[in-house]
Amino acid sequence: MNSDSRIYVAGHRGLVGSAIVRRLQADGAANLILRTHHELDLVDQAAVEAFFAIEQPEYVFLAAAKVGGIHANSTYPAEFIHDNLAIQTNVIHSAWKHGTKKLLFLGSSCIYPRDCPQPIKEEYLLTGPLEQTNEWYAVAKIAGLKMCQAYHRQYGFDAIVAMPTNLYGPGDNYHPDNSHVVPALIRRIHDAKITATPRVTIWGSGTPLREFLHVEDLADAALFLMQYYNDEHPVNVGSGQEVSIAELAGAIADAVNYEGELVFDTSRPDGTPRKRLNIDRLDSLGWRARIALKPGLEQTINAFALTTS
Ligand SMILES: NC(=O)C1=CN([C@@H]2O[C@H](COP(=O)(O)OP(=O)(O)OC[C@H]3O[C@@H](n4cnc5c(N)ncnc54)[C@H](OP(=O)(O)O)[C@@H]3O)[C@@H](O)[C@H]2O)C=CC1
Ligand SMILES: C[C@H]1O[C@H](OP(=O)(O)OP(=O)(O)OC[C@H]2O[C@@H](n3cnc4c(=O)[nH]c(N)nc43)[C@H](O)[C@@H]2O)[C@@H](O)[C@@H](O)C1=O
């Protein structure tokens, strides 16, 4: 892949897609192919087929998906399974059919079994029951991973799979209910600070552990894998930085200088108790995350504050 390569970033306005575009542009990519959801609905098979027949991208970063946090996943199961199966099936098939050289598919740490040994190795996939709050999304993602492996085996299609841990960073989804925990708490605690609200509610018990990776590290890993990795086995992409939700909430409150009370609403689900990734495979390839959680949160909060000021 070089600066003249025809590179399609599906989902380029999202958290991951926008970070990949920023990184490619910083590296001098001069031939990016981008379409908004409105311009190209990836659920529409005929539209996707026509797009690939005309544009014939050489490289595809598949960062388009129906994505949301624990509440969204358990509230809209039909949309999560339908849209993600359709998007990935359409893009992977048409990319192969129209000669794409390489495609990167994004799985997720949340598709591993709920209670597998920690840290989670790639080979633990499909060895146990899924976390119920996002099983529909997980089944769709597992199907996408298997489709990449099948096209690799039968057609020799260079489709690779990255398995990111929980991501955060600029350009995230800050919807009050459907977002992930980091943007949700940044927005809620930031707003509480501005309105001098005395307490902020955190969903669940605060005890679950989560590993967080800054999205610019993920973008770096995505380009690294696109350049150097072409095996059918998925590759975990993590930071090794694990905190409890209570510690995360405290870190965001400190960064925002919020001095009110953090209260835990145990009527809300905790989800998976823990899901830290084993990153030996990626480490052995020579890649490591660089952005530590504290400065990463501060950078993300500053970017959020700028967009709301
Ligand atoms: N965020 C995280 O913590 C993690 C994310 N991932 C994976 O990374 C990938 C990207 O996630 P993330 O960036 O967080 O998600 P976002 O929701 O931020 O971005 C998803 C993008 O896909 C687009 N999109 C959704 N549906 C369609 C459609 N039918 N047609 C065209 N475009 C569509 C959205 O456009 P629009 O908003 O306009 O609908 C949006 O730009 C996903 O595959 C996700 O599973 C993996 C692990 C963790
Ligand atoms: C990223 C990956 O993993 C996702 O699963 P998840 O990690 O459980 O997602 P989450 O970020 O929404 O929650 C993390 C924890 O945080 C707690 N929590 C507290 N307060 C809020 C809060 O206000 N919002 C949210 N969303 N969670 C909160 C929440 O109760 C839970 O214990 C999948 O949905 C799927 O999207 C996927 O790919």
Side-chain angles (χ1 to χ4, degrees), residues 68 70 73 108 137 166 179-181 188 203 210 269-270 275:
I70 191 167
N73 267 275
S108 171
Y137 169 85
N166 289 51
S179 52
H180 286 112
V181 62
R188 198 172 304 144
W203 296 354
R210 287 293 183 274
D270 274 339
K275 47 179 173 173

Side-chain angles (χ1 to χ4, degrees), residues 67-71 73 80 107-110 133-134 137 165-167 176-182 184-185 188 201-205 208 210 212 245 268-272 275:
V67 179
I70 191 167
H71 173 76
N73 267 275
F80 274 84
S108 171
S109 62
C110 76
T133 53
N134 61 258
Y137 169 85
T165 191
N166 289 51
L167 303 172
D177 298 317
N178 297 336
S179 52
H180 286 112
V181 62
V182 170
L185 295 189
R188 198 172 304 144
T201 300
I202 315 297
W203 296 354
S205 66
R210 287 293 183 274
F212 292 104
I245 296 306
R268 307 294 295 240
D270 274 339
T272 303
K275 47 179 173 173

